[in-house]
Amino acid sequence: MRIEHLAIWVDDLEKIREFYARYFGTVSGERYHNPMKGFSSYFLVFKEGTARLEIMKRMNITAQASNRSLNKGYTHLAIGVGGKEAVDVLTERLRSDGYTVESEPRTTGDGYYESVILDPEGNPIEIVA
């Protein structure tokens, strides 16, 4: 068994699709649109591994509490980028491009070297080695 894909609700499909392509090298499938439900989505494929990320938009989906770590359910997406240097470089690239670095690169208690950044809609992403 394996994780096939994870999905997140977003407000701006194109902006999020471009963000993951630019910083994490994803390639997007074709846009799916269901006008009856007001639903659209893309599957994003990473260069390595088999799990995909589905970004979805639907007109009647609203945001959760502002502190996502206090909501039940999934709390972040972790993306492996190689070694510690790759974590540092990507973190600084995202910072210089204006994205929020929520947690500076460090070794965590569970043994990861990671930083945490927020995507354009405030979703936390752990950049891990």
Side-chain angles (χ1 to χ4, degrees):
M1 290 187 209
R2 64 183 174 86
I3 293 176
E4 163 37 54
H5 71 271
L6 301 169
I8 58 173
W9 291 112
V10 302
D11 290 323
D12 188 331
L13 278 173
E14 298 307 325
K15 185 175 188 177
I16 296 296
R17 181 172 75 123
E18 200 279 327
F19 171 82
Y20 282 96
R22 174 178 287 160
Y23 297 104
F24 298 100
T26 62
V27 175
S28 173
E30 293 293 316
R31 180 175 178 257
Y32 170 75
H33 180 65
N34 181 328
M36 296 292 290
K37 293 184 177 182
F39 174 85
S40 295
S41 69
Y42 287 104
F43 277 98
L44 307 179
V45 179
F46 293 86
K47 290 179 183 175
E48 296 181 23
T50 58
R52 300 179 297 162
L53 178 63
E54 182 180 14
I55 55 174
M56 308 177 306
K57 177 180 175 87
R58 187 170 171 160
M59 300 308 294
N60 62 348
I61 299 298
T62 59
Q64 294 181 325
S66 61
N67 186 343
R68 291 176 187 256
S69 65
L70 298 178
N71 291 314
K72 288 189 177 191
Y74 296 104
T75 185
H76 65 265
L77 173 64
I79 300 175
V81 296
K84 290 181 178 182
E85 183 178 343
V87 171
D88 293 342
V89 168
L90 183 54
T91 302
E92 288 309 311
R93 180 177 170 206
L94 285 154
R95 183 194 323 272
S96 69
D97 287 351
Y99 294 98
T100 300
V101 176
E102 192 169 75
S103 178
E104 296 294 331
R106 71 202 186 291
T107 301
T108 63
D110 54 4
Y112 283 102
Y113 184 78
E114 70 178 40
S115 68
V116 178
I117 62 98
L118 302 181
D119 78 8
E121 294 192 6
N123 298 302
I125 302 170
E126 288 184 356
I127 302 170
V128 302

